[in-house]
Amino acid sequence: QVQLVGSGGGLVQAGNSLRLSCAASGRIDSVNFMAWFRQAPGKEREFVAAISWGGGSTYYADSVKGRFTISRDNVKNMGYGYLQMNSLKPEDTAVYHCAVSRILGTRVGIPRQSNDYDYWDQGTQVTVSS
């Protein structure tokens, strides 16, 4: 089992920045990827960004490429993931979820489908005002 706790959401004006954090504990030795997804009201869950657990590979949705940066860190027996969000837009408003995957990869590389991810946090709200 892996436990995830996400934090860092809030209300910001368009053009500003936020940094989301995700703390992973438990069997993190079984984890191979971490990702961020988001879900806006009335919309389906959407992939945002993903990173290999070793941090060497990343992948971004086109809608956030160049504005968001995903990163990873380990401290003692905890794993941490971060999503630095710059130049935020009102359309970035959503509940953001971090998730981790134990699969080794997919035929397209870093997994980007929500059903490839095994453990999820509770979600953190990001609201961007215009």
Side-chain angles (χ1 to χ4, degrees), residues 93-126:
T93 295
V95 175
Y96 283 71
H97 291 273
C98 66
V100 294
S101 173
R102 296 173 296 176
I103 67 174
L104 297 177
T106 71
R107 62 180 180 86
V108 295
I110 293 179
R112 307 159 202 173
Q113 304 299 318
S114 58
N115 58 10
D116 287 330
Y117 288 81
D118 306 293
Y119 300 100
W120 296 77
D121 76 338
Q122 77 286 1
T124 185
Q125 177 71 46
V126 172

Side-chain angles (χ1 to χ4, degrees), residues 36-60:
W36 292 90
F37 291 80
R38 66 186 181 187
Q39 188 165 17
K43 294 188 177 182
E44 293 188 354
R45 185 175 293 176
E46 174 189 27
F47 171 81
V48 175
I51 187 168
S52 58
W53 197 244
S57 299
T58 57
Y59 188 84
Y60 297 90

Side-chain angles (χ1 to χ4, degrees), residues 6-114:
S7 61
L11 170 64
V12 295
Q13 287 189 325
N16 285 350
S17 300
L18 272 178
R19 188 191 195 211
L20 303 183
S21 299
C22 182
S25 60
R27 287 295 310 274
I28 60 173
D29 58 306
S30 65
V31 173
N32 290 307
F33 299 97
M34 174 177 274
W36 292 90
F37 291 80
R38 66 186 181 187
Q39 188 165 17
K43 294 188 177 182
E44 293 188 354
R45 185 175 293 176
E46 174 189 27
F47 171 81
V48 175
I51 187 168
S52 58
W53 197 244
S57 299
T58 57
Y59 188 84
Y60 297 90
D62 287 343
S63 58
V64 306
K65 200 173 295 182
R67 299 189 297 122
F68 291 11
T69 302
I70 188 171
S71 60
R72 272 269 303 116
D73 196 7
N74 286 329
V75 178
K76 295 184 179 179
N77 60 344
M78 295 280 291
Y80 295 89
Y82 307 98
L83 187 67
Q84 177 67 42
M85 305 185 294
N86 298 330
S87 303
L88 282 161
K89 303 176 181 180
E91 51 263 43
D92 294 318
T93 295
V95 175
Y96 283 71
H97 291 273
C98 66
V100 294
S101 173
R102 296 173 296 176
I103 67 174
L104 297 177
T106 71
R107 62 180 180 86
V108 295
I110 293 179
R112 307 159 202 173
Q113 304 299 318
S114 58

